[in-house]
Amino acid sequence: MAEMYSIPLSVGDVVVAGSDGLWDNAFESEIISNAPVDSEDVQRAADSIAVLARQHASDDDFPSPYTREALSQGIDLPWWEKLVGASFKSGRLQLKQLTGGKMDDITVLVALVEAADPPAASDSSNAEAEGMEGAGSAAAAELQGPAEAAADNGLSSLESAPRNAGAAL
């Protein structure tokens, strides 16, 4: 059963949702640095965040959120791989450590909350109950396999809404 959350939003807030392929391969600080600056920028933000996560996923030396969490849980390379990958750094022997991204599907949805017309009198109690303060612009990017543009992205419902766009790479 799905969990439901109600979070109050304000005009200008940015919401980023993504699959585990995003969160396993990109740090929050990197995602925030790619956030949209306005409603015309949401597609660029979704695409750049998805591409960043894909690059990290295929980088064997990147200390990803996934491998950092594994290390914190006591999961690391076998001792013989640590020795084989050992190197000298600053005159000290450095054993190889678990690094690398996690190849997975990567889906990113970016939404920017914008001001909306006030709801009609009959809808006002409904809107307040739902905590809706505004409408927004949204964009999605999905990576499944090599990063190449796809003409039919399967997100046509997003394409038909104003200032919404979808892309699959």
Side-chain angles (χ1 to χ4, degrees):
M1 184 170 184
E3 292 184 35
M4 303 260 313
Y5 298 93
S6 177
I7 302 170
L9 297 173
S10 300
V11 172
D13 285 352
V14 174
V15 177
V16 178
S19 63
D20 62 333
L22 169 63
W23 305 110
D24 287 343
N25 292 298
F27 290 99
E28 288 180 20
S29 59
E30 295 175 306
I31 294 168
I32 290 169
S33 69
N34 283 288
V37 293
D38 59 33
S39 63
E40 302 299 319
D41 196 33
V42 291
Q43 184 65 59
R44 181 220 43 91
D47 290 342
S48 65
I49 292 168
V51 167
L52 174 75
R54 175 58 73 198
Q55 288 170 342
H56 288 336
S58 61
D59 183 349
D60 291 336
D61 295 321
F62 178 69
S64 68
Y66 178 77
T67 55
R68 286 203 177 165
E69 179 60 25
L71 289 169
S72 77
Q73 300 281 331
I75 301 169
D76 202 353
L77 298 173
W79 66 268
W80 56 270
E81 279 188 49
K82 290 172 144 304
L83 287 175
V84 169
S87 62
F88 282 97
K89 291 185 182 172
S90 303
R92 301 184 79 180
L93 178 65
Q94 187 89 36
L95 295 177
K96 181 158 175 57
Q97 199 172 39
L98 181 66
T99 58
K102 180 178 180 256
M103 289 304 279
D104 203 345
D105 63 297
I106 297 170
T107 303
V108 177
L109 173 70
V110 175
L112 176 68
V113 179
E114 296 178 321
D117 294 331
S122 63
D123 293 339
S124 63
S125 61
N126 225 4
E128 288 174 20
E130 296 291 326
M132 297 179 63
E133 295 183 20
S137 296
E142 184 174 4
L143 296 178
Q144 294 179 341
E148 55 189 22
D152 178 18
N153 56 37
L155 299 171
S156 57
S157 61
L158 288 175
E159 293 172 355
S160 62
R163 289 190 304 273
N164 291 349
L169 299 178

